[in-house]
Amino acid sequence: GENVEQHPSTLSVQEGDSAVIKCTYSDSASNYFPWYKQELGKRPQLIIDIRSNVGEKKDQRIAVTLNKTAKHFSLHITETQPEDSAVYFCAADQGGGADGLTFGKGTHLIIQP
Amino acid sequence: DGGITQSPKYLFRKEGQNVTLSCEQNLNHDAMYWYRQDPGQGLRLIYYSQIVNDFQKGDIAEGYSVSREKKESFPLTVTSAQKNPTAFYLCASSMGRAGNTIYFGEGSWLTVV
């Protein structure tokens, strides 16, 4: 089955700086790569996703890049703000038509004032 | 997201007891899922269902059971066979098929006392 590795586990950046979180996946048949943000004690919420037919997608301060050859994808947050502090999870679909997502273990992003 | 309702939000279980977590969705989604989240860990798939009266085991199905008698409902039973059930349980749903966005309920905290 799919295996997703996520790094770093904790990331501390100064407010206003950029943050980058990286993920790798194992199943070359995976085609869908969402990113979720989870605040303490709350549900994960989708913030951006990318499909295998594009290499980059941007939504205001958030962007995701995908390299299918290398099987890795990254989340980029620019001009970080205190409300960006949360745990971020990357995920990949199972590939081969199977349902469900496989998640990375999460990155705790801390925005320092 | 607001169309997925989980109950109860907090549940305490004595050792040796079975407990059932409820999940209802009004999004007319075909697929439903149960994930388990442990502190500092990612989300792990317990069971999923793509259609009424059918469900599949995920990565950590042992000690759990589900049913899908109605499209909008996907209850999870944590049985006494689950040795370490204390965790945050998340129900989710999607339109089904690989590559569709998965939305989460607010979660249920289960603690064994």
Side-chain angles (χ1 to χ4, degrees), chain B residues 65-112:
Chain B
S65 66
V66 293
S67 63
R68 187 87 186 275
E69 297 177 0
K70 298 185 297 183
K71 184 176 183 177
E72 59 270 22
S73 178
F74 191 42
L76 173 74
T77 296
V78 184
T79 75
S80 57
Q82 172 49 239
K83 298 305 179 188
N84 185 22
T86 295
F88 188 45
Y89 290 86
L90 286 157
C91 178
S93 70
S94 79
M95 292 297 290
R97 302 182 303 279
N100 279 290
T101 301
I102 290 179
Y103 300 94
F104 288 90
E106 293 189 349
S108 294
W109 292 92
L110 174 61
T111 303
V112 174

Side-chain angles (χ1 to χ4, degrees), chain A residues 100, chain B residues 32-36 44-50 54-67 74-77 90-92:
Chain B
M32 296 186 75
Y33 316 83
W34 276 104
Y35 284 89
R36 169 180 170 144
R44 293 182 290 170
L45 183 63
I46 305 172
Y47 269 99
Y48 67 96
S49 167
Q50 294 177 297
D54 185 52
F55 47 83
Q56 307 294 330
K57 291 183 179 180
D59 299 320
I60 56 165
E62 186 175 352
Y64 300 97
S65 66
V66 293
S67 63
F74 191 42
L76 173 74
T77 296
L90 286 157
C91 178

